[in-house]
Amino acid sequence: MTLDLTSSSVDLTRAICDIPSVSGEEAPLADAIEEAVSALPHLEVIRHGNTIVARTSLGRPQRVVIAGHIDTVPINANLPTRTLDIDGVPHLWGRGTVDMKAGVAVQLKLAAEITDPAIDITWMWYDNEEVAASLNGLNLLSADRPELFAADFAILGEPSNGEVEGGCNGTLRAMVRTHGVRAHSARAWVGENAIHAAAPILTRLAEYRAKEVQVEGLAYRESLSAVRIGGGVAGNVIPDLCEVEVNYRFAPSKNAADAEAHLRGVLDGFEVEITDAADGARPGLDAPIAQQFVAAVGAVPRPKYGWTDVARFSALGIPAVNYGPGDPHLAHHDEERVPLEQIDAVERGLRAWLTAR
């Protein structure tokens, strides 16, 4: 399919959403993006797997990376897209409209139209964001072509309701285990019930009061939650193992080691195995270029509670924010939909900043 970059951001959103690109199946959309941007003489285009990079090289004193992922979670009878009127507000409905093809559509339109930006721009459209970090196109590109990440600021088009969300919380997952002794359930006293032994874990988590942590003027709300529990052998057997999976979302003032120490303190006395951890990202809104961006788009910065790829830029020392159309509460939802005006508003905001002299 050929993408028409002269069409409106709304029409472009519809076009790229209607090209299915579930994680691992992004090649057709990547091909369409590469074909479209390769026709633009003011951009140098680089392809790395199914990640497309397009750069201006105008010798500007500053450079921004503007990135968006092109994959979606699996489709569930929510394509092709369609327009809905909800309480008098027109929306575009369908998989990817929120997370995050509306943001990608805005980026593609501006990449085509802004030929003389006030700062140099590196546009990045990458694959496999919704799956393992080992497959993430942004992660793989940074390992193979780190020079492409040289920048003073980064913007990720994750859905933020058209507001600026600074940085992001970190995330840590752990498996907490209790052990027992198997026995016939008719003679339960012969064994030791590992599921019963897990009750204090759930009590501590239920009684835990998450903190709100101020980081560079933004209040990041933490959470510590049981997200899965498993145990049991058969309907007549006392279980000898119970596992509680726990997810800790921690403010970007902590690193993963701090988060692990805190979790182990809360669950002291239990066997804890850390299974996954990723540092968050400080908002970086004290950087002059970030302040100029916030002023240009007329936003009041908010914290990002979920983990996003802004953390990859933060790890490289690049201040980064989330800025895109769509309600993050509707990301991955089967009723995913974005207000048309929000797509246009994000386009206006980015255009104003990128062309301001």
Side-chain angles (χ1 to χ4, degrees):
M1 180 176 179
T2 298
L3 297 177
D4 179 5
L5 301 189
T6 66
S7 61
S8 71
S9 290
V10 169
D11 287 342
L12 199 51
T13 300
R14 182 180 290 107
I16 64 175
C17 285
D18 286 341
I19 302 175
S21 58
V22 174
S23 301
E25 302 172 6
E26 299 94 333
L29 180 54
D31 291 345
I33 291 173
E34 181 184 25
E35 179 185 17
V37 297
S38 293
L40 304 172
H42 63 283
L43 295 175
E44 172 196 7
V45 177
I46 301 153
R47 181 160 181 165
H48 184 273
N50 285 325
T51 294
I52 311 300
V53 179
R55 293 163 39 95
T56 65
S57 297
L58 301 171
R60 304 290 192 247
Q62 291 181 304
R63 177 176 291 276
V64 61
V65 172
I66 303 179
H69 66 82
I70 63 173
D71 63 321
T72 71
V73 296
I75 297 162
N76 188 22
N78 48 7
L79 281 184
T81 55
R82 64 176 186 262
T83 303
L84 296 178
D85 189 288
I86 300 176
D87 297 327
V89 178
H91 288 67
L92 184 65
W93 173 96
R95 176 63 78 223
T97 53
V98 170
D99 193 11
M100 55 163 285
K101 289 184 174 180
V104 169
V106 168
Q107 294 168 6
L108 285 168
K109 181 170 180 61
L110 294 180
E113 293 184 358
I114 300 178
T115 60
D116 186 30
I119 55 178
D120 270 314
I121 310 169
T122 300
W123 305 95
M124 293 181 177
W125 300 289
Y126 63 100
D127 61 330
N128 281 308
E129 187 271 349
E130 300 289 5
V131 290
S134 60
L135 300 174
N136 182 294
L138 201 65
N139 190 35
L140 297 175
L141 182 67
S142 66
D144 290 350
R145 299 290 305 272
E147 74 280 4
L148 296 177
F149 287 75
D152 302 283
F153 185 48
I155 300 168
L156 193 66
E158 286 284 355
S160 64
N161 269 320
E163 301 291 342
V164 174
E165 293 183 333
C168 67
N169 274 339
T171 181
L172 179 147
R173 287 200 298 270
M175 199 66 75
V176 188
R177 297 186 178 91
T178 55
H179 298 272
V181 177
R182 289 191 193 187
H184 196 296
S185 59
R187 302 172 184 81
W189 58 89
V190 177
E192 296 178 14
N193 195 310
I195 293 178
H196 293 180
I201 298 172
L202 301 180
T203 298
R204 291 188 197 182
L205 293 173
E207 293 178 349
Y208 182 85
R209 294 296 174 261
K211 296 179 179 178
E212 193 170 86
V213 182
Q214 292 285 333
V215 183
E216 298 175 17
L218 299 183
Y220 290 85
R221 187 172 180 178
E222 298 189 330
S223 62
L224 178 59
S225 310
V227 293
R228 188 179 304 172
I229 187 167
V233 181
N236 60 352
V237 178
I238 298 301
D240 61 344
L241 175 66
C242 183
E243 296 182 318
V244 181
E245 187 173 7
V246 175
N247 184 212
Y248 178 32
R249 299 288 176 144
F250 55 93
S253 54
K254 298 183 179 74
N255 59 29
D258 298 329
E260 177 179 347
H262 179 73
L263 177 67
R264 290 187 182 278
V266 172
L267 298 172
D268 185 43
F270 291 97
E271 178 186 323
V272 176
E273 179 192 359
I274 306 301
T275 57
D276 184 51
D279 288 338
R282 300 185 73 90
L285 293 170
D286 53 346
I289 189 172
Q291 294 172 0
Q292 293 161 9
F293 167 72
V294 170
V297 302
V300 176
R302 302 175 180 179
K304 185 72 169 179
Y305 295 135
W307 190 93
T308 74
D309 277 320
V310 293
R312 302 192 190 283
F313 292 103
S314 181
L316 296 171
I318 304 168
V321 299
N322 305 277
Y323 179 63
D327 182 349
H329 292 95
L330 291 175
H332 303 181
H333 198 288
D334 286 344
E335 295 300 321
E336 197 172 345
R337 59 190 182 271
V338 60
L340 304 190
E341 169 55 26
Q342 212 170 84
I343 300 174
D344 292 335
V346 169
E347 179 191 330
R348 288 194 301 270
L350 272 177
R351 186 188 299 276
W353 180 61
L354 292 171
T355 59
R357 289 298 197 272

